[in-house]
Amino acid sequence: MKRLFSFHLCIGIILFAGCAEPPAFQFNVVAKKQAEQDQPFSSQQIEDIANVLTAFFGTPDQPAFPNVRSFHFPEGLDYGEAFAEVVDFQDVIRAAGPVRFDESGKTAGLYREHCSHCHGISGDGSGPTAVTLTPYPRDFRNGVFKFKSTIGKARPSNEDLYNIINDGIPGTAMPAFNVAITQSEKKALVDYVKYLSIRGEIEQVLWDITASLEEDQRLPLVFPRDYDELDEEEKDELYGWFEEEGIRIESIFKSWTKASSSPSIKRPTAPPEYFSESHDEHANFLAKGRAIFSGKSGACIQCHGDTGYGDGELGNYDIWNQWAKGKNDKYIAGFVDAGVLPPRTISPRNFRNGGFRGGRNPLNLFYRIKNGIQGSQMPGAATLTDEEVWALVAYVRNIKNETITGGHQQKPIHDKKIN
Ligand code: HEC
Ligand code: HEC
């Protein structure tokens, strides 16, 4: 991999340890390749993107927040403030950088100690161990998370991310850090995941915007950083740019603000039948779930199969390789050669081996079924009532106890490599 924009900070270290290059953020190869389909970027444009990202977010060893003054307009959004609303900078510092103790004696460099070997320094889900794992670790740079309480494309709440770090994702390589690290360490890591995610989402927008420029045109964001030093024409250009394109960067901040500031989404409660101790009542409730599962309204069997083995509709791509959807081998090989993990499919969940990745408690399952699993084919059950969703929750939790009649019993299947 090319070292695209590393920060040379070894003057102090050089006397002792020679000059080990500090790790650098890598470009998002998928976003870059997709954006330059029509016309390759000039080296100036690539350098500009690297510079904007470093000015905004710093480096893995020296994180930064977008500079407050430079992009401050009367009607515009103050990026630094917007970022600070969602992410605590002290947390980011504590999670970033090499493993060490900070001034107060607390462990720091948490991300590199616990997460980067899977999720990668850049949060690209391509750490050194990633290639051996199915499913792959999450690529935070898409801003897409699966096991959350928020609806559709909405970002996860702080609590959602905290729970994932605390509980892990059973049946995948994602470990539970409930006892391994303290509460404040987990909170710092939540903020660092958000930092990597926002950085990655903004990088994608920058590639995209650059793709719409002429070859010799530069990102207006690369103007001198002090707004007061610009002449009127430059101010006009920058201002116009923010009205048209900056809006996309703003919307990234806003979507995170929205999710973070509404952590206590009203928790749905299960109807009395769910908890009924009467055998008949409970059996009726399960039968109702079964009817929705296999009937038209739920249509769950289309993917999860009549027997819940997850052997229905197969071969769908997961979030990390949507870029490969419908593409030929040559196109895919181009990405893999550039360092992208080979695409893999994700299977519908097999309910007979008892594993639920986003947690098996009823509330977790309610959110999964009601909201769907973002980034996979699993749709949200938007047309079902809450009571119907609860019946499905009860039913899928119970499927593994159900006897299969009619002989349609197949071996459990697993996510497959497809090349
Ligand atoms: C051994 C590898 C491994 C390590 C170490 C690891 N993860 Fe993960 N992580 C995964 C895998 C694999 C997934 C994806 C599971 C899936 O898609 O079902 C994942 C998913 C996630 C998700 C996405 C959850 C969602 O709802 O989409 C978050 C957030 C996350 N990990 C954070 C962390 C943090 C923070 C650390 C360090 C404290 C960490 N992980 C350490 C493998 C790992
Ligand atoms: C178009 C295919 C499709 C349909 C239709 C579908 N699912 Fe899924 N479902 C999936 C896939 C794929 C996964 C695995 C997603 C992942 O792990 O990223 C999944 C996962 C799940 C999970 C596991 C959640 C967890 O935490 O592990 C549950 C529960 C579930 N589906 C229930 C349902 C129910 C109930 C319905 C019907 C209302 C349904 N699904 C309809 C494809 C589908």
Side-chain angles (χ1 to χ4, degrees), residues 364-392:
N364 292 141
L365 288 168
F366 180 91
Y367 286 136
R368 287 320 75 81
I369 296 172
K370 178 88 180 176
N371 299 346
I373 300 180
Q374 188 60 25
S376 81
Q377 292 298 307
M378 166 75 192
T383 57
L384 298 181
T385 63
D386 280 7
E387 204 203 334
E388 288 170 325
V389 173
W390 283 114
L392 282 169

Side-chain angles (χ1 to χ4, degrees), residues 291-370:
I292 303 165
F293 189 82
S294 51
K296 249 200 190 139
S297 57
C300 317
I301 60 173
Q302 175 199 333
C303 293
H304 292 283
D306 193 27
T307 52
Y309 263 125
D311 54 355
E313 189 180 295
L314 299 174
N316 285 311
Y317 285 105
D318 204 349
I319 178 63
W320 56 75
N321 40 223
Q322 288 297 337
W323 56 267
K325 208 170 171 179
K327 300 290 196 252
N328 62 28
D329 289 352
K330 188 165 164 263
Y331 181 92
I332 292 176
F335 280 69
V336 176
D337 288 348
V340 180
L341 292 174
R344 290 185 186 160
T345 58
I346 179 100
S347 304
R349 193 74 70 250
N350 172 0
F351 299 132
R352 294 218 167 238
N353 64 9
F356 292 111
R357 293 184 179 171
R360 66 170 284 103
N361 83 44
L363 186 64
N364 292 141
L365 288 168
F366 180 91
Y367 286 136
R368 287 320 75 81
I369 296 172
K370 178 88 180 176

Side-chain angles (χ1 to χ4, degrees), residues 253-322:
F253 286 120
K254 284 185 180 152
S255 57
W256 279 99
T257 316
K258 204 164 157 224
S260 309
S261 61
S262 57
S264 49
I265 291 143
K266 194 170 168 297
R267 286 180 202 280
T269 42
E273 296 93 306
Y274 190 96
F275 303 104
S276 175
E277 283 174 20
S278 142
H279 178 269
D280 286 353
E281 237 175 67
H282 194 64
N284 280 342
F285 198 55
L286 287 179
K288 184 176 173 184
R290 166 79 205 164
I292 303 165
F293 189 82
S294 51
K296 249 200 190 139
S297 57
C300 317
I301 60 173
Q302 175 199 333
C303 293
H304 292 283
D306 193 27
T307 52
Y309 263 125
D311 54 355
E313 189 180 295
L314 299 174
N316 285 311
Y317 285 105
D318 204 349
I319 178 63
W320 56 75
N321 40 223
Q322 288 297 337

Side-chain angles (χ1 to χ4, degrees), residues 29-346:
V29 179
V30 171
K32 176 171 179 286
K33 274 181 92 65
Q34 279 182 328
E36 67 182 346
Q37 286 305 308
D38 297 335
Q39 179 189 313
F41 295 120
S42 70
S43 52
Q44 179 67 66
Q45 288 174 329
I46 294 173
E47 199 186 314
D48 284 350
I49 290 187
N51 287 340
V52 171
L53 286 170
T54 309
F56 270 29
F57 297 102
T59 66
D61 279 1
Q62 296 228 307
F65 268 21
N67 183 296
V68 178
R69 269 170 311 153
S70 348
F71 304 104
H72 193 61
F73 295 96
E75 296 88 351
L77 185 82
D78 182 323
Y79 286 9
E81 270 176 23
F83 205 18
E85 238 179 86
V86 213
V87 177
D88 179 337
F89 193 49
Q90 291 312 315
D91 276 351
V92 172
I93 295 194
R94 191 173 175 206
V99 184
R100 64 196 189 278
F101 291 106
D102 65 14
E103 295 116 42
S104 61
K106 288 195 231 147
T107 314
L110 301 164
Y111 184 75
R112 240 171 273 173
E113 182 173 8
H114 300 292
C115 322
S116 68
H117 57 283
C118 286
H119 289 282
I121 289 285
S122 315
D124 53 12
S126 298
T129 50
V131 70
T132 62
L133 306 176
T134 309
Y136 290 131
R138 186 76 65 255
D139 179 346
F140 301 136
R141 301 168 309 173
N142 299 313
V144 176
F145 293 82
K146 289 189 166 177
F147 306 114
K148 61 194 182 72
S149 58
T150 57
I151 294 168
K153 291 200 168 97
R155 305 300 183 273
S157 69
N158 290 338
E159 193 183 345
D160 290 333
L161 290 173
Y162 186 95
N163 289 343
I164 284 291
I165 297 171
N166 195 63
D167 303 339
I169 305 182
T172 79
M174 172 68 198
F177 290 91
N178 50 350
V179 288
I181 56 178
T182 66
Q183 230 174 334
S184 73
E185 288 172 332
K186 279 171 240 177
K187 183 178 162 284
L189 285 162
V190 165
D191 277 338
Y192 199 68
V193 167
K194 288 161 78 176
Y195 162 83
L196 290 174
S197 216
I198 294 171
R199 184 189 174 283
E201 287 178 76
I202 289 181
E203 179 188 348
Q204 298 206 16
V205 170
L206 294 180
W207 288 120
D208 212 27
I209 292 171
T210 305
S212 64
L213 301 177
E214 298 299 324
E215 203 186 337
D216 54 354
Q217 238 185 327
R218 304 183 59 182
L219 271 180
L221 277 171
V222 195
F223 269 109
R225 305 199 68 212
D226 202 342
Y227 181 67
D228 296 336
E229 282 170 15
L230 303 181
D231 64 31
E232 286 311 309
E233 203 179 313
E234 286 170 329
K235 277 184 183 167
D236 272 357
E237 196 179 330
L238 193 50
Y239 191 79
W241 191 87
F242 268 90
E243 287 223 297
E244 287 193 11
E245 302 285 9
I247 229 79
R248 294 164 67 183
I249 297 180
E250 285 193 24
S251 74
I252 295 172
F253 286 120
K254 284 185 180 152
S255 57
W256 279 99
T257 316
K258 204 164 157 224
S260 309
S261 61
S262 57
S264 49
I265 291 143
K266 194 170 168 297
R267 286 180 202 280
T269 42
E273 296 93 306
Y274 190 96
F275 303 104
S276 175
E277 283 174 20
S278 142
H279 178 269
D280 286 353
E281 237 175 67
H282 194 64
N284 280 342
F285 198 55
L286 287 179
K288 184 176 173 184
R290 166 79 205 164
I292 303 165
F293 189 82
S294 51
K296 249 200 190 139
S297 57
C300 317
I301 60 173
Q302 175 199 333
C303 293
H304 292 283
D306 193 27
T307 52
Y309 263 125
D311 54 355
E313 189 180 295
L314 299 174
N316 285 311
Y317 285 105
D318 204 349
I319 178 63
W320 56 75
N321 40 223
Q322 288 297 337
W323 56 267
K325 208 170 171 179
K327 300 290 196 252
N328 62 28
D329 289 352
K330 188 165 164 263
Y331 181 92
I332 292 176
F335 280 69
V336 176
D337 288 348
V340 180
L341 292 174
R344 290 185 186 160
T345 58
I346 179 100

